[in-house]
Amino acid sequence: MDFAYSPYTEEMRQKLQSFMEAYIQPRIREHNNETQAGQFPVSFMEDLKALAREEGLWNMFLPGLKDDEPGTRLTNLEYAPLAEIMGRVPWSSEVFNCNAPDTGNMELLHMFATPQQREQWLVPLMNGEIRSAFAMTEPDVASSDATNITTSMQRKGDEYVINGRKWFITNATHPNCKVLIVMGKTDPNADRHKQQSMIIVPKDTPGVEIIRNPTVLNHHAPEGHAEILFTNVRVPVNNLLGEEGGGFALAQARLGPGRIHHCMRSIGAAELALELMIDRAQERKTFGKHLSEQGVIREWIAKSRIEIEQARLLTIKTAWMIDNVGAKAARKEISMIKVVAPSLHTRVADRAIQLHGAMGLTPDTPLADHYTWGRALRFADGPDEVHLQSIAKMELRQSNRGASEIYLTPPER
Ligand SMILES: Cc1cc2nc3c(=O)[nH]c(=O)nc-3n(C[C@H](O)[C@H](O)[C@H](O)COP(=O)(O)OP(=O)(O)OC[C@H]3O[C@@H](n4cnc5c(N)ncnc54)[C@H](O)[C@@H]3O)c2cc1C
């Protein structure tokens, strides 16, 4: 077992790190100012995207690119440390065309789009010319169980007619968001997992109405986690993605690698929070001592380091498994890290906030944003409890390992 990065990964890490230092870090303040003033997308985004593409730091998340598709050809294992670097500045992933939910949508289109759908939607997405959203969650039903969703998709002649209400649809208020992949029910009478389909809906189709963009823990995201109403939205049957009744399977396929991209970025965010914690602990004094000399603070620092290392190892093991045995066989690992990483993200950010005193709650540090996003990730792509349930199911299924027969020594009767 080799824990070192491969020479190629190391080369890409250094390239990305240099790009972050030259172009991203100097613009953090400007990005904050512009988004807080309601200017979105920020003025420099398109220029930075062009630069990143020129530098070969483009579409790094997608293994298995075809020859004519733009981007690097990294494995999930090679991508993990790069996503970690991007996780320190959450908006930076858009610069490299590696931001959710576009990444998950590109993966879906890459796997299932028809040639016409590829041309119309995948190509501009991979070129970073447009943005997209994925619409599954509904306010009226428990959407962590995707079989509950109620949005109806009725076939009428050569069209589907879509009616329903979605919310928490990330990216939907981004001015460049041109397309939604919507999950609904094409046949409510079919088997439970065959009722759903996914349909590509251009955002400007009549009947698509953005109702509001709710804040998340009172944090306003300009790209949106929007509530959207679909009223008699008509799209051609050619907009069906994959097969009719195949939506549930597509949703499973979409969430595999995408879930661990979030985890990789969470580890980067936790690493940054620890660094900020250490800097502050060494400069701030209370009761005649630096904070770094207080036992409780040392314990936070040590625990944060241990927990980050644990999570990183599980993340890269999961990435390795996705590369080598596929996302389906790595289901348990994906669920495990999906529970571990967002909690780590909030826990380390929370310690760092506490150590910074009241300042930790202000926009003068990135900690409040990191805390908010880590907390949100405990829901996005499935809440903790659903993943815990899947892990337990898989463990129980593998039971009957015979341990009790070997290791228990009950009294003889
Ligand atoms: C910031 C953010 C961005 C998001 N982006 C998107 C997006 O782009 N597109 C999209 O479609 N959705 C998106 N979501 C929605 C997210 O996927 C859902 O919130 C999530 O799947 C849970 O669904 P729900 O909110 O309906 O909760 P419910 O299904 O109502 O569940 C509520 C709670 O019940 C508990 N629970 C559920 N099942 C079990 C169980 N089996 N055992 C024990 N307890 C259980 C859990 O604690 C859970 O949190 C986003 C959410 C957030 C916060």
Side-chain angles (χ1 to χ4, degrees):
M1 198 174 292
D2 187 353
F3 288 99
Y5 296 128
S6 70
Y8 181 50
T9 308
E10 195 48 53
E11 181 195 323
M12 289 298 289
R13 271 186 76 220
Q14 281 176 20
K15 209 169 171 186
L16 179 61
Q17 187 57 42
S18 306
F19 192 98
M20 297 289 287
E21 283 163 19
Y23 304 112
I24 304 284
Q25 289 167 5
R27 289 186 171 83
I28 291 174
R29 183 183 291 267
E30 203 179 333
H31 189 279
N32 287 350
N33 290 345
E34 287 196 20
T35 48
Q36 275 166 27
Q39 255 170 276
F40 190 79
V42 292
S43 54
F44 53 77
M45 185 53 81
E46 293 305 314
D47 291 343
L48 287 195
K49 279 164 66 176
L51 261 178
R53 190 166 172 174
E54 244 173 67
E55 299 262 331
L57 295 166
W58 193 252
N59 289 337
M60 293 177 278
F61 69 96
L62 196 53
L65 286 175
K66 303 200 169 80
D67 288 345
D68 59 341
E69 291 171 337
T72 48
R73 278 132 183 92
L74 297 164
T75 61
N76 283 289
L77 186 62
E78 289 167 331
Y79 178 58
L82 306 180
E84 199 182 311
I85 294 172
M86 293 178 223
R88 297 165 73 94
V89 184
W91 56 264
S92 70
S93 55
E94 186 177 349
V95 172
F96 309 105
N97 217 36
C98 288
N99 59 297
D102 296 295
T103 46
N105 289 343
M106 284 187 262
E107 279 163 0
L108 255 189
L109 292 166
H110 206 248
M111 287 185 279
F112 301 107
T114 61
Q116 187 225 326
Q117 292 168 348
R118 284 179 75 87
E119 204 47 46
Q120 195 173 0
W121 303 114
L122 181 60
V123 171
L125 274 170
M126 292 190 76
N127 286 331
E129 291 155 7
I130 61 166
R131 304 262 62 114
S132 63
F134 180 71
M136 183 162 80
T137 303
E138 299 179 2
D140 298 332
V141 292
S143 303
S144 49
D145 174 357
T147 61
N148 280 342
I149 58 164
T150 58
T151 292
S152 81
M153 297 173 149
Q154 279 185 309
R155 185 164 175 165
K156 293 206 171 142
D158 289 342
E159 290 180 324
Y160 283 106
V161 182
I162 304 173
N163 282 287
R165 184 185 287 266
K166 302 283 184 184
W167 75 344
F168 279 92
I169 308 312
T170 302
N171 238 8
T173 56
H174 194 303
N176 297 342
C177 177
K178 300 291 179 214
V179 65
L180 316 166
I181 297 181
V182 184
M183 178 140 153
K185 282 195 174 166
T186 34
D187 182 0
N189 301 316
D191 282 357
R192 208 165 146 242
H193 296 104
K194 294 280 180 192
Q195 299 175 1
Q196 306 78 10
S197 298
M198 283 194 197
I199 294 182
I200 301 171
V201 179
K203 201 179 107 184
D204 59 4
T205 312
V208 176
E209 190 187 347
I210 297 199
I211 302 288
R212 62 175 180 141
N213 178 15
T215 55
V216 170
L217 282 180
N218 277 344
H219 172 98
H220 169 67
E223 73 279 17
H225 302 296
E227 181 166 345
I228 306 179
L229 195 58
F230 295 83
T231 312
N232 293 323
V233 174
R234 290 176 171 269
V235 292
V237 286
N238 293 346
N239 285 27
L240 179 72
L241 189 57
E243 292 173 2
E244 200 176 281
F248 192 85
L250 260 61
Q252 299 300 104
R254 182 185 183 281
L255 290 174
R259 277 178 177 146
I260 87 153
H261 297 161
H262 280 310
C263 299
M264 295 165 180
R265 287 189 289 264
S266 285
I267 289 163
E271 192 71 64
L272 172 67
L274 175 58
E275 284 171 31
L276 293 174
M277 206 190 312
I278 290 171
D279 282 356
R280 185 74 167 176
Q282 286 177 322
E283 94 198 6
R284 199 84 164 163
K285 273 186 173 173
T286 57
F287 304 101
K289 273 188 187 173
H290 278 111
L291 288 174
S292 59
E293 293 170 75
Q294 305 287 357
V296 65
I297 306 291
R298 288 183 172 218
E299 190 177 317
W300 291 351
I301 291 171
K303 279 191 169 163
S304 300
R305 169 53 60 218
I306 294 167
E307 291 161 9
I308 290 170
E309 295 297 322
Q310 287 173 328
R312 182 181 285 121
L313 284 174
L314 186 52
T315 308
I316 57 181
K317 180 192 173 195
T318 308
W320 181 89
M321 285 194 65
I322 296 176
D323 289 334
N324 288 284
V325 295
K328 203 167 171 197
R331 259 177 10 259
K332 187 159 72 179
E333 283 70 19
I334 293 171
S335 278
M336 289 195 288
I337 196 58
K338 175 62 184 62
V339 175
V340 168
S343 295
L344 167 84
H345 190 151
T346 40
R347 200 162 51 248
V348 181
D350 185 58
R351 288 179 187 137
I353 287 172
Q354 191 70 11
L355 193 139
H356 278 77
M359 181 197 184
L361 298 173
T362 69
D364 293 358
T365 81
L367 294 166
D369 278 355
H370 279 300
Y371 180 88
T372 304
W373 187 236
R375 187 67 188 83
L377 285 176
R378 291 187 55 201
F379 295 110
D381 292 353
D384 293 355
E385 292 71 22
V386 171
H387 289 289
L388 290 170
Q389 191 193 47
S390 313
I391 297 163
K393 256 196 212 161
M394 285 183 258
E395 283 293 310
L396 290 165
R397 222 179 283 140
Q398 285 169 9
S399 67
N400 198 13
R401 295 158 172 154
S404 43
E405 274 172 36
I406 301 166
Y407 293 102
L408 299 191
T409 48
E412 282 180 31
R413 297 237 164 88

